Amino acid sequence: MKYFTRNIGVHTGTATFYLHEPTAEIDIDRKYPVMVVVPGGAYMWTSDRESEPVALEFFSKDYHVMVVNYSTEGLAAYQEEAVLPADPTSKFPTPLVELAEAIADLRENAEEWAVDTDQISVLGFSAGGNLTGLLAVYWHESWLEELVNKDRTLYKPNRIILAYAPLDFVGIHFEESSAINLALMGTLTPGTEERKKVSSIYHVSKDTPPVFLWHTTEDPLVSVENSLKMAVALQEKNIPYELHIYQKGVHGVSLGDSRTSRKPNQSNKQAASWVELVMGWLG
């Protein structure tokens, strides 16, 4: 296995790679599909629980994996309201540009890294799901291509996987004091236009790639309505999708077992089936 980390963007973003190495004993010419993992953390940090354990799960299923830790201020920066960051590095569209740059890196090095460039899937959890959803609806836009300064086809996602993602900041209530507003939109009290810009359900188009969504009805932080409304938006545009709703499960289930559970209620055998469901959908 090749394992290394590269910087992305101009702030603190990094991409960590877990790459198989083709061997003559199996197939020296093999090209591997890629799972790009985008952890959550309310845009204030990136969760370890949704990073390496997830990477190793998909690596074991014969995928190259890249974990994208987009720029954040760190959780400590949001603990005292009097000294909140004035212009957070996590503010849209910086993380989106970083994610696009990281995916372009995969395609630009496809020959050396044995990458199947037609099989690059992006898996986002929670806030990382918001970011992944934004890539899904904005990858083809000229303004993003100008910011990334690379051909948009280099960072086009082939498949999108959204895990308990906030996808609508307009029609679904979020607490006004929530620091995620500041971390994502640069203000504690964003207006409707700022909210709509980072709500992927309003920007689904014919260029949106196929999407797999999963959520739990008991999620107390990100309402299941987000995934339901995204499914409706995809249906209206005739975009292929698959939606799985589990009854049980708190926010942040991740893999749903002891590898990613810091609390007993984060283990959920039923919701843990999402991994095999994703593999079937990808297959």
Side-chain angles (χ1 to χ4, degrees), residues 28-45:
I28 196 65
D29 297 317
R30 176 176 292 186
K31 304 296 183 186
Y32 290 85
V34 183
M35 186 63 68
V36 179
V37 177
V38 190
Y43 283 103
M44 290 176 267
W45 82 101

Side-chain angles (χ1 to χ4, degrees), residues 1-2 4 16-22 30-37 54-67 106 109-117 119-121:
M1 179 178 75
K2 289 183 180 177
F4 57 93
T16 299
F17 297 79
Y18 304 75
L19 305 179
H20 295 271
E21 298 184 82
R30 176 176 292 186
K31 304 296 183 186
Y32 290 85
V34 183
M35 186 63 68
V36 179
V37 177
V54 178
L56 295 178
E57 173 70 16
F58 283 95
F59 185 85
S60 74
K61 298 183 182 303
D62 217 20
Y63 272 71
H64 285 335
V65 184
M66 177 176 67
V67 176
L106 285 169
N109 292 279
E111 191 62 33
E112 178 185 354
W113 296 343
V115 169
D116 183 343
T117 56
Q119 295 292 334
I120 297 179
S121 303

Side-chain angles (χ1 to χ4, degrees), residues 44-45 74-85 179:
M44 290 176 267
W45 82 101
L75 187 58
Y78 293 87
Q79 299 308 298
E80 295 184 46
E81 191 163 340
V83 289
L84 290 172

Side-chain angles (χ1 to χ4, degrees), residues 7 105 110 127 173 211 225 228 240 282:
N7 295 327
D105 204 17
H173 177 70
V211 180
E225 291 179 64
L228 294 170
L282 291 171

Side-chain angles (χ1 to χ4, degrees), residues 143-193:
W143 62 263
L144 181 58
E145 186 175 56
E146 185 175 340
L147 289 173
V148 178
N149 198 28
K150 294 179 184 291
D151 189 293
R152 67 191 74 177
T153 60
L154 287 173
Y155 52 83
K156 175 185 177 181
N158 299 112
R159 297 285 185 96
I160 292 291
I161 303 156
L162 303 176
Y164 43 87
L167 304 167
D168 181 11
F169 284 90
V170 178
I172 297 175
H173 177 70
F174 286 85
E175 291 295 332
E176 288 298 324
S177 60
S178 172
I180 192 173
N181 292 340
L182 175 61
L184 174 57
M185 292 172 268
T187 173
L188 289 170
T189 56
T192 300
E193 285 308 306

Side-chain angles (χ1 to χ4, degrees), residues 6-15 68-71 89 93-105 147-150:
R6 292 188 174 202
N7 295 327
I8 52 174
V10 296
H11 299 291
T12 60
T14 62
V68 178
N69 288 296
Y70 45 93
S71 292
T89 58
T94 298
L96 180 59
V97 173
E98 293 175 343
L99 177 57
E101 287 180 0
I103 295 171
D105 204 17
L147 289 173
V148 178
N149 198 28
K150 294 179 184 291

